[in-house]
Short mmCIF file of all heavy atoms in Angstrom, two decimals:
data_model
loop_
_atom_site.label_atom_id
_atom_site.label_comp_id
_atom_site.label_asym_id
_atom_site.label_seq_id
_atom_site.Cartn_x
_atom_site.Cartn_y
_atom_site.Cartn_z
N PHE G 27 -11.80 -7.81 9.38
CA PHE G 27 -12.87 -6.81 9.31
C PHE G 27 -12.41 -5.58 8.53
O PHE G 27 -13.10 -5.09 7.63
CB PHE G 27 -13.28 -6.42 10.73
CG PHE G 27 -14.27 -5.28 10.79
CD1 PHE G 27 -15.61 -5.49 10.49
CD2 PHE G 27 -13.85 -4.01 11.13
CE1 PHE G 27 -16.51 -4.43 10.55
CE2 PHE G 27 -14.74 -2.95 11.20
CZ PHE G 27 -16.08 -3.16 10.90
N LEU G 104 -25.26 16.17 6.58
CA LEU G 104 -26.17 16.97 5.76
C LEU G 104 -26.72 16.13 4.61
O LEU G 104 -27.92 16.14 4.34
CB LEU G 104 -25.47 18.22 5.23
CG LEU G 104 -26.34 19.22 4.47
CD1 LEU G 104 -25.78 20.64 4.63
CD2 LEU G 104 -26.43 18.90 2.98
N TYR G 114 -38.22 9.97 1.44
CA TYR G 114 -39.60 10.01 1.95
C TYR G 114 -40.53 10.67 0.94
O TYR G 114 -41.66 10.21 0.72
CB TYR G 114 -39.65 10.80 3.26
CG TYR G 114 -39.08 10.10 4.46
CD1 TYR G 114 -38.35 10.80 5.43
CD2 TYR G 114 -39.28 8.74 4.68
CE1 TYR G 114 -37.84 10.18 6.55
CE2 TYR G 114 -38.76 8.09 5.79
CZ TYR G 114 -38.03 8.83 6.73
OH TYR G 114 -37.53 8.19 7.84
N PHE G 130 -34.54 19.30 8.66
CA PHE G 130 -33.49 19.82 7.78
C PHE G 130 -33.45 21.34 7.85
O PHE G 130 -32.38 21.94 7.95
CB PHE G 130 -33.73 19.36 6.34
CG PHE G 130 -32.60 19.69 5.40
CD1 PHE G 130 -31.57 18.78 5.20
CD2 PHE G 130 -32.54 20.90 4.74
CE1 PHE G 130 -30.51 19.07 4.35
CE2 PHE G 130 -31.48 21.21 3.89
CZ PHE G 130 -30.46 20.29 3.70
N VAL G 140 -32.86 24.33 1.30
CA VAL G 140 -34.04 24.59 2.14
C VAL G 140 -35.21 25.09 1.30
O VAL G 140 -36.35 24.64 1.47
CB VAL G 140 -33.70 25.59 3.26
CG1 VAL G 140 -34.99 26.07 3.95
CG2 VAL G 140 -32.77 24.95 4.29
N ARG G 156 -54.05 21.87 4.42
CA ARG G 156 -53.49 22.71 5.48
C ARG G 156 -53.00 24.00 4.83
O ARG G 156 -51.81 24.31 4.79
CB ARG G 156 -52.38 21.95 6.22
CG ARG G 156 -52.93 20.76 7.01
CD ARG G 156 -51.89 19.74 7.40
NE ARG G 156 -50.84 20.27 8.24
CZ ARG G 156 -49.84 19.54 8.75
NH1 ARG G 156 -49.80 18.23 8.49
NH2 ARG G 156 -48.91 20.09 9.50
N ILE G 207 -44.89 39.49 -14.27
CA ILE G 207 -43.82 38.52 -14.50
C ILE G 207 -43.49 38.47 -15.98
O ILE G 207 -44.38 38.27 -16.82
CB ILE G 207 -44.24 37.12 -14.02
CG1 ILE G 207 -44.53 37.15 -12.52
CG2 ILE G 207 -43.14 36.10 -14.30
CD1 ILE G 207 -45.09 35.84 -12.01
N PHE G 220 -58.83 38.02 -17.33
CA PHE G 220 -60.24 37.69 -17.11
C PHE G 220 -60.66 37.97 -15.68
O PHE G 220 -61.69 38.62 -15.44
CB PHE G 220 -60.50 36.22 -17.44
CG PHE G 220 -61.87 35.76 -17.04
CD1 PHE G 220 -62.98 36.09 -17.81
CD2 PHE G 220 -62.07 35.01 -15.89
CE1 PHE G 220 -64.26 35.69 -17.44
CE2 PHE G 220 -63.34 34.60 -15.51
CZ PHE G 220 -64.44 34.94 -16.29
N ARG G 234 -63.04 49.99 -16.86
CA ARG G 234 -61.81 49.23 -16.60
C ARG G 234 -62.00 47.75 -16.91
O ARG G 234 -61.05 47.07 -17.31
CB ARG G 234 -61.38 49.40 -15.13
CG ARG G 234 -60.87 50.78 -14.80
CD ARG G 234 -60.62 50.96 -13.31
NE ARG G 234 -59.81 49.89 -12.74
CZ ARG G 234 -59.45 49.83 -11.45
NH1 ARG G 234 -59.84 50.79 -10.62
NH2 ARG G 234 -58.71 48.85 -11.01
N LEU G 258 -69.77 41.51 -21.23
CA LEU G 258 -69.62 42.63 -22.17
C LEU G 258 -70.98 43.11 -22.68
O LEU G 258 -71.16 44.31 -22.95
CB LEU G 258 -68.71 42.21 -23.33
CG LEU G 258 -67.24 41.95 -22.95
CD1 LEU G 258 -66.48 41.39 -24.15
CD2 LEU G 258 -66.57 43.22 -22.44
N ASN G 276 -73.95 39.24 -31.14
CA ASN G 276 -73.63 38.41 -32.30
C ASN G 276 -72.33 37.63 -32.09
O ASN G 276 -72.22 36.47 -32.52
CB ASN G 276 -73.52 39.29 -33.55
CG ASN G 276 -74.88 39.83 -33.98
OD1 ASN G 276 -75.90 39.22 -33.70
ND2 ASN G 276 -74.88 40.98 -34.65
N ARG G 293 -84.22 41.63 -25.76
CA ARG G 293 -85.55 42.18 -26.08
C ARG G 293 -85.52 43.72 -26.06
O ARG G 293 -86.13 44.38 -26.92
CB ARG G 293 -86.57 41.66 -25.07
CG ARG G 293 -86.95 40.20 -25.29
CD ARG G 293 -88.21 39.83 -24.53
NE ARG G 293 -88.00 39.89 -23.08
CZ ARG G 293 -87.57 38.87 -22.35
NH1 ARG G 293 -87.31 37.70 -22.94
NH2 ARG G 293 -87.44 38.98 -21.05
N GLY G 296 -83.98 44.88 -29.28
CA GLY G 296 -84.92 44.76 -30.39
C GLY G 296 -85.96 45.87 -30.37
O GLY G 296 -86.26 46.49 -31.41
#
Side-chain angles (χ1 to χ4, degrees):
F27 174 76
L104 186 151
Y114 286 142
F130 188 91
V140 168
R156 293 162 60 177
I207 300 174
F220 171 77
R234 290 173 50 179
L258 293 174
N276 290 334
R293 286 195 294 271

